[in-house]
Amino acid sequence: MVELSSAAPPRLAPIPAADASIPAVTAIARYWLRRFSFPLRAGFVLVGLWILVQYPDRSPVFLASALPAALILFQVLPSYHATLPVFPAFLALQALSFTAPLLNPDLATDWRVQLSANLLSATGLPLLLWFLALWLGWRLTPVRALARRTLAMPLSNALQAPGSLPHLALVLMILLQAFLNSPLYWQVLGGLAKGLVAPMRAVIGLVGLSGAFVGAYCWSRGRLRDSLLWLVLFIVPVLQSMRSLLLSSLQGILFAALLGMWLGRARRALAITIAIILFLSFINSGKVQLREKYWGRGAQLPANPIALVQEWVRASIETRTNPDDQSQDLFTQRFNNLQSLLYVEQQLQSGTPTLQGASYSVIPEVLVPRLLNPNKVRSQEGQVLLNLHFSRQRNRESTERTYIAWGMLAESVGNFGRVLGPITVGLLTGCLLRLTENIGRGQHLLSTPGLLSLALGLLWLSAYEMVYSTFSAAAFQVTAAVLLMGWWFGPRSRKATSR
């Protein structure tokens, strides 16, 4: 087990370059980044030129997001040797979420946004300040190892000799999720059931991430036995996640598997990555119809997840083949943080006051377990306050049926304005990204701090459209679940794995 300590421990001895260590994983990532360096640079230039020619009024957005992000990435990537590259990955996804919409003729699918050259230009300053503040907050945070290194069996050797561990992890996730979704959960736990929902989801998510990441990594390395069985087991929780009608619930396990594949053998991962992007884009087209039916009209979800998937596929096909349907939502529209930034900028220009930190003030309450406070607000309370204050939704009842995401930059602007918001929240976010890296610095990947750094890193990757109250609640639950797992395995392995 790895014991986390608030005090800085003595300098850690280097870990051997085995693929069970974070330094080795970082070396693999750097190798493939070097291989893709030229295509990425060429793609950046071509996209910039295309936007300049086709949509010159959008070029300020590209120059204020993609350009600073690219310069920062090329500057920081060579410095990664013993940590997971959480900051570069988050920075790249943030840049992509603001620049991908520029490639779509329908820049903003929200009818409330009245596009104009002036509005597009106004987003340049908060974007530029956001990326610079992220880099500065990361740069100013000290580089320190936060944990002493000891191993936690059986995870410590899972990447080299996985055995049946990935399969068992997915089976456990499937069983726990089925139990949570069944009436039996409420009957067995009684009055404790409501308060344990969030901790149960955190444990289920962590177990699923472990099974997906280890299985995908070992499959790409040719070390996974019964790979077909693992694939079948991997599909089942994907189907379970789709029952929530929230695509964000799919992203964690899919990102974990993709990360494992890319770190294991990138040649195998490229085609699968493209397939998953197309899959998410396709099913995203039909989600509006399903949410209207099952959320808006209160229809009963089918008990068989296959039936729901079939209905989802039909809805997506109808949406894609209907030329008069304006709800088509391609990847450039789904992965879109620019729309929220344009909307809040427009509202501020029209005279709507800022929230003055109200969406952040709920964070202490969302961190309290529902077991201790049954009447606590939802983790999306910050998002709810933003949507109501800026008139994106009419009342609280509508926020319970439809989730309109914001993203961290738009939230900061809505709270503190277009200058103070990006600077303060960007500095804080950059600091937290460095701390996430420091937790696993120099560790074995599947030791307690290594797994915590990996789990939080994956959470950062899926947080591109979250507000801070939602992210804080999820991060708290992930941390508690990882520490619980470390405590569970630790006492059985200290003597055998002490170094």
Side-chain angles (χ1 to χ4, degrees), residues 430-441:
C431 174
L432 293 176
L433 289 165
R434 174 76 90 177
L435 291 176
T436 302
E437 296 172 346
N438 284 345
I439 290 172
R441 181 174 296 277

Side-chain angles (χ1 to χ4, degrees), residues 370-420:
R370 195 170 294 277
L371 191 64
L372 302 178
N373 181 13
N375 299 318
K376 63 174 283 188
V377 297
R378 289 178 289 164
S379 62
Q380 295 87 3
E381 182 65 16
Q383 177 177 291
V384 170
L385 293 175
L386 287 162
N387 282 321
L388 294 178
H389 179 78
F390 288 101
S391 304
R392 293 187 94 175
Q393 291 178 290
R394 295 181 179 179
N395 49 51
R396 284 191 169 270
E397 288 72 20
S398 64
T399 67
E400 295 175 355
R401 295 192 302 268
T402 304
Y403 291 85
I404 301 179
W406 274 74
M408 294 178 177
L409 174 56
E411 181 188 20
S412 71
V413 174
N415 275 274
F416 304 119
R418 60 201 305 266
V419 175
L420 184 60

Side-chain angles (χ1 to χ4, degrees), residues 304-354:
N304 184 359
I306 301 298
L308 179 64
V309 172
Q310 291 174 340
E311 183 180 0
W312 202 325
V313 169
R314 287 194 299 269
S316 298
I317 292 175
E318 291 174 3
T319 302
R320 293 298 183 111
T321 56
N322 184 1
D324 298 325
D325 196 325
Q326 300 300 316
S327 62
Q328 295 190 28
D329 199 0
L330 304 175
F331 173 74
T332 53
Q333 295 173 331
R334 164 65 183 165
F335 205 63
N336 187 346
N337 273 353
L338 181 60
Q339 183 170 262
S340 294
L341 183 60
L342 289 168
Y343 179 82
V344 71
E345 181 69 36
Q346 175 181 277
Q347 292 299 99
L348 292 177
Q349 289 182 5
S350 66
T352 304
T354 62

